[in-house]
Structures are given as C-alpha cells and as structure tokens.
Amino acid sequence: MQSIRDCCEAAKEASRRTALLDTETKRNVLRLCARKLILHTEDILSANRRDCDLAEDAGMSGGLLDRLSLSEARIAAMAEGLHAVAALPDPVGRELERIVRPNGLVIRKTAVPFGVIGIIYEARPNVTSDAFGLCFMAGSACVLKGGSAAAASNAAIMDAIHEGLLEAGIEKEAAVLIRQTDRESTTELMRMNGLIDVLIPRGSAALIRSVVEHATVPVIETGSGNCHVYADETADTDMAVRIILNAKTQRVGVCNACESVLIHEKKAPELIPLIAAGLETYGVQVFADDAARAIWPKWSKATEEDWGREYLDYKLSLKLVKDIDTAISHINRYNTGHSETIVTSDPVNAARFQQEVDAACVYVNASTRFTDGGEFGFGAEIGISTQKLHARGPMGLRELCSYKYMIDGTGQIRP
Amino acid sequence: MQSIRDCCEAAKEASRRTALLDTETKRNVLRLCARKLILHTEDILSANRRDCDLAEDAGMSGGLLDRLSLSEARIAAMAEGLHAVAALPDPVGRELERIVRPNGLVIRKTAVPFGVIGIIYEARPNVTSDAFGLCFMAGSACVLKGGSAAAASNAAIMDAIHEGLLEAGIEKEAAVLIRQTDRESTTELMRMNGLIDVLIPRGSAALIRSVVEHATVPVIETGSGNCHVYADETADTDMAVRIILNAKTQRVGVCNACESVLIHEKKAPELIPLIAAGLETYGVQVFADDAARAIWPKWSKATEEDWGREYLDYKLSLKLVKDIDTAISHINRYNTGHSETIVTSDPVNAARFQQEVDAACVYVNASTRFTDGGEFGFGAEIGISTQKLHARGPMGLRELCSYKYMIDGTGQIRP
C-alpha cells in the first residue's frame, strides 16, 4: 500500500496535467468514466454487498446502512451525476478581471485549478464518484478518503473511474483513493501542506470538527445547519405557515432544513394554532419556550440546548420574540452560519434581517430549503460552506477553483 | 487583564456594528484616528523608547531594532496610511452577482465584512495602525497580537486609536489589542473558532509556520517568497539583465525580491558575463550550479539547499536549464507560490510559463517586484497570500471581505 505522502505526491504531479486539459477532453473523460461505472455495475454491487454485510454484522444503524448501500439505480444516478458535471461550463481559465496599469503592465486575474483537492467523507460510496467528477472538471486532481465501512465499494468505483481515465490517456493519479483505514492516516492526510491545496470534509458535525481541529492544510468547513425561520409581526399568515412547514418537513435530514422557528409575539396568537396544526399532520415534535406554550400547551418545554440543536429529524424548537432585534440577536447567537429566513411584509425589516443576520444565505419570504447548488443554478455542488473564507454557501465548480494573476510586461522594472 | 476569550467576544459583538457603518462614517473615523496618532506623537515615541531600550538591553539585532523604532516621521507615515485607506473605495455592500431563478427567487451575492479579523505580527508597531485601518474600512473588528517587544508602543498607538473611535461614538472593542505576551495566549487566540472569522499572520516564515501548525480558525497564509526569474533562449539580453538586477537588488529584504535565476543554457554564454558584472556592482553573492560556474568561475558553488532559500539579502542562486520544461519543473518544485517571471520573446513559451507555473503572480517580461497592493492598484495591502484559498497575491480591502447571498422571494417553497 502506498504511503499517504506518496499518494499525495503522485496526485500533485498528476495535477500539473489535469490543470491543462481542455474543456472537451475533460467532458469526454467524465462521460467515459460514467460509462465505466455502468459497465462495472455488477463488480460495484458485489463489493458493496461485502461492505453492507460487514456493516450489518457490526450493527450499523438503518439510516447509515441505507446511505452505504448501492443499487443498480443508484449507480446509474452516479453515472448521471458525471454526465451532469460534464455539461456544466468549464470554470478554469475564465478572466475574472483585467487591470491595465499606468506603467503599461496588463494584469489578468484568471481562474485556475486548486491543484490537489482532498475530500474526507463518511461511508457514502456515491461521494467517491461525485467528488471525483467535480474536482476533475475543475481541473484538479483529488485525493479521496472515504469512510472505512465503504472501503470495498469505494475501491470498486475507483477502479471503474481509473479504467476510464487510463483509456482516455489520463494518468490514474488524477483521482487517488486512500486505502488506509486507520485514524492516524487520516490525520496525516490533513497535514500534507504543500501537497493538498484545500481539504473539504463532507459529513457529520463530528467529522468536520475533527478536521478543523487537526488539519494544517487550508480547509473549507462545510457545515451543519441550525437554520431559522422568523415570522415577523407583518408576516403574511398563509405564507409564514407554508414556509415553516416546507422548511421543516420537505426533507428533515438535510442541512438546510429549518430547525428553529421564531415568531413575533404580536403575530403568535394568530400564527401558532395554524403552525401547530400543520406540524402535527407531519408528526413534528415542538420544543417551545413558555410564552409559546402559554398559547399552545401541548408543545414540549424547550431547554437552553434546544436553541443550538440541529435535529435532522421531525423536531423543531420554537420561541417568541418581542421584536426583530431580538430575533436577529438570537439567530446570530445560535445559528451555524447556514441559511436563515424572515417572513415579513415590511421592507425595512427585510433589509435589516438580510444585512444583520450572519449567515451564508439570508432569505426574505422563501424557504431555507433553496440553499443548494442546483437551486442556485450552479449545477452539482461539493457542499455548503458555513465559513467565510473563500466560499460561502453552495460550492459549485467555480468555488472549486483558485485564481492567479498573469501579468504581461514589456520590460518594466520597479523604479 | 481581559482573557483572550473575553477580548474576542467583545470584538465579535462590536463587529455587528462596524459591519453596518456607512462609508463616510468609516472615512471620518479613520481620519480622526490619524489625527489622534499625530496628537499623541510624544506619548507614542516615549513608549517606543521604553520598548527600544529593553530590546537593546536584550541584544536585539540592528535590523529588528530598526523595524521596532519609531520616529516623528514614521508616526506621520502611519497617519498618512490611515488617510490613504480612508480614500479607497468601500469594499462592503458591493453586489458581486445577481441571479434570477425561474421560480422568481432573486439571489444577490453581496460583499460583506468578515466580522472579526485576527492579525498576529512581530515587533513592528506600524502594523498596529495599518492593520486596524484596513480591517475597519473593510467593516470588520480586529483583534491584534503584536510582538511582545513592541508592547508599550502598540499600547500607546492603540490608546490613540481608541480615543479616536470613542470620540466618533464607536465602541473601542472595534479594535482590540491583546495584552498577553505569553505563547499560550497566542495559541489560544488561534483557536477561537466562532469568534475569529479569519486569522492572518504577518511576519517571518517561522511565525507563519507556527500559525499554520496551531490554528483551528481559518487562516490566510501570507508567505515567504522564493521568487525566480527565468531568462529564456529568446530573451532580450538587455531586458533580462535589467529585470534580474531590479528584481534582486531594488530592495533585498522583501518577499517579492528575486532569490533565484534560471537561464536557458543557450542564452547563458551571452548573458552571464553581463549579469555577473551587474550583480557585482551591487555586491551580490551568487551561488551557481557547475554549468554556470564553467562560464563564470568566480561564483560560489550552489548546494541543494540554495534552490529553496529565501535569502532576503544580497545573495542569489543561479542555475542553467536546458529548456522551458526544466525551468517550469524547477520552479514548481522549489518556489513558494509567490511571484515568478519569464523573460522571453516567444509568445508560446510566455503563455506556457504563465499557465504552468504555480504561483500567485506570474510575469512575462517584468520584474517580480511589482507584486504589491499599491503596484496592482489595490491601495494598501494587508499582505501577500501564498495559499490558494480565498485570496492569492496582494490582499487589499476587497480580499478582506467575505460575501453572503441575499435572496428575495415572494413565498417560494421547495416542491
């Protein structure tokens, strides 16, 4: 087995070539890899069955097992994903800015690949193919470290991808799968400064915390979402109910689902019975403060912890606030910088909320569930960034690029 | 003395307000702080004399002592710096992109302040005022940790800035100076996740390494520069000599100075005697490979270490290469991702060099010394980034901002 450093050095070397591939070549390679996934469906499924059997024996829970297990349809979806990325605009080489200086220097700020993108993720084999596709189209080599429970599946998927790469004349080190499964190797990967240009953890809050704690290479934190909907005093009642129900229940296990609702105390008497009825039909358990429970006593009592919780479940915290200032402070105290919504008819409060709430995506009168590369028109995404450095919110192909300055002179020297 | 956490929490709280200040207010505050620096010149100088006396007693070297010591003129230059920042365009609130989705959602990508910017620097008191000015104009609060040898100077400068802030009705926590001088406090600052939005180390390679090693908050690595000039086979001889001399000698102690020269072996016989003569007049010591020394035997012999060295001195490494491929590989192996130049008359080689060399700034026929916020037209800069995340090359006010998506809906929910 190659050492982590050797893997990363090979990827770095390969990245010199992937950076220079033209758009059509990259597209053809991705389509070829998609066909290889389909062609090797049986191999991948059989590897995946081994992973799933082991995981079941080890007592993996149903939800995780579902994420781990593949089917013909899921492999087809992975291949479709590669086709979809191949159809996106090439992010590399775009001229972002051109500056002509008085001394005649022409400075072109140009989008360039990162080089090597590291991705650490859990036992979800589809990420192997998705992450490769995005990194490759962005002109970078990737070093992938998936959850060990998916080791056989990931290896089978990577074999198919490698077959595609080699057939297209691309060195297979453009996509490296780390085979080591021990924790020390993962930590080593996080410290490959000079070889890994950016590291993106994808997965649970615990995984992301571990990467933030141990990494010395640059990291993009993709994060958990404690997303709020605030119904202002002037909120349209029907709209508020519709948005709260959609943000909470349209899909509960995702980071842009609503976890906490704030309601202006003057709006509460009218709104709460409607929200309560709606949430009940979905079986949502509400943890509310005393003021809300005075209106709807059936709700459970919220504890301090509930305000910071990302349930990812049919659960919701709910609180009354006396004004928009209280709503904004509460959100800025407890949120995770992901997605926040105000429902209001007051343009001043709408603008204040958007300006003052510190989050990647701040909505007026829309569901938090739109925070998504596809919904933003970016195409596939590698994750949602909850930090402020480099990329914030949905990260598509453009966010998977860096830039450089190319400067053309005619012999200029600095006086 | 306030704890590090209390300092950072106070700055975070203040940053909610600095983010909302309008352009004219920020400009007036910076000008007022500039006047306070001038007004308190005597206090600052007397504090600085205490620092310098202690440093001299402790045996600080001449170069460092020069960077530590202030004069009336240097304080005036700090004040001028604040005026210059006040004259720059406000980077906050710019609409970077507007997307209208088929469902009617309007997505505005908008430049916003980071929140709290941490800066760790060495015993250079002017950085206290420069860093405050840039962060404040960028709408962020700053937490500054200067070298302990400049403690009294930094405190006196910060007192003057605080007087300006308070007089303008701005809370003084918009600019926090960390008073702790122990190493543990510095490490604690690097781990204030959720309070420090970005941390920028400014100073020696050792300081930057330490920050990269210990920080868990997002870091922008501003770095050392092992910058190359490559004279291609078709280089204009006069231009090559002029650019090499300028890049090496115009100012030797800076990160964008040339540290290593590569020469195409066919160009070497003509070029080397001219370069040697020029470098000699500046007293530059050259560490060359055997092929170059065969042409100019007076040069010292280079060791492997020389190729990776940032001398910051009248020293230079020099090597002959057989073609542009070798030049590019050598640079990508030894450089620090800062600034690189090719001197050539061949447009194909020029384009290849710019595409394939992995650095923030890649020049054709110009001196590396232009990598600088002022020279790029950005105005003052906080540093030169040598990493690829978020900002690369000179970082001015725009690079000191993040962005958020503000999304306006009319009740949209996700189907």
Side-chain angles (χ1 to χ4, degrees), chain B residues 190-209:
Chain B
M190 299 179 198
R191 305 176 75 88
M192 284 288 134
N193 294 62
L195 295 176
I196 299 282
D197 293 290
V198 59
L199 181 64
I200 306 175
R202 276 191 58 165
S204 70
L207 169 71
I208 292 157
R209 257 199 314 276

Side-chain angles (χ1 to χ4, degrees), chain B residues 1 7 144-145 151 154-156 158-159 162 177-181:
Chain B
M1 195 154 54
C7 285
L144 307 178
K145 171 77 188 71
N154 288 337
M158 194 48 91
D159 285 347
H162 282 167
L177 181 70
I178 298 287
R179 311 282 169 150
Q180 283 86 342
T181 53

Side-chain angles (χ1 to χ4, degrees), chain A residues 249-275:
Chain A
T249 67
Q250 197 258 349
R251 197 168 163 204
V252 294
V254 290
C255 59
N256 60 13
C258 173
E259 303 290 4
S260 194
V261 164
L262 304 176
I263 302 176
H264 193 286
E265 58 187 21
K266 292 198 184 136
K267 188 76 191 171
E270 181 195 356
L271 203 53
I272 280 184
L274 299 168
I275 294 174

Side-chain angles (χ1 to χ4, degrees), chain A residues 114 191 213 354 388 404, chain B residues 114 191 213 354 388:
Chain A
F114 267 115
R191 305 175 76 87
E213 177 65 28
Q354 283 188 325
K388 298 187 199 169
K404 69 161 70 153
Chain B
F114 266 115
R191 305 176 75 88
E213 176 65 27
Q354 284 189 324
K388 298 187 199 168

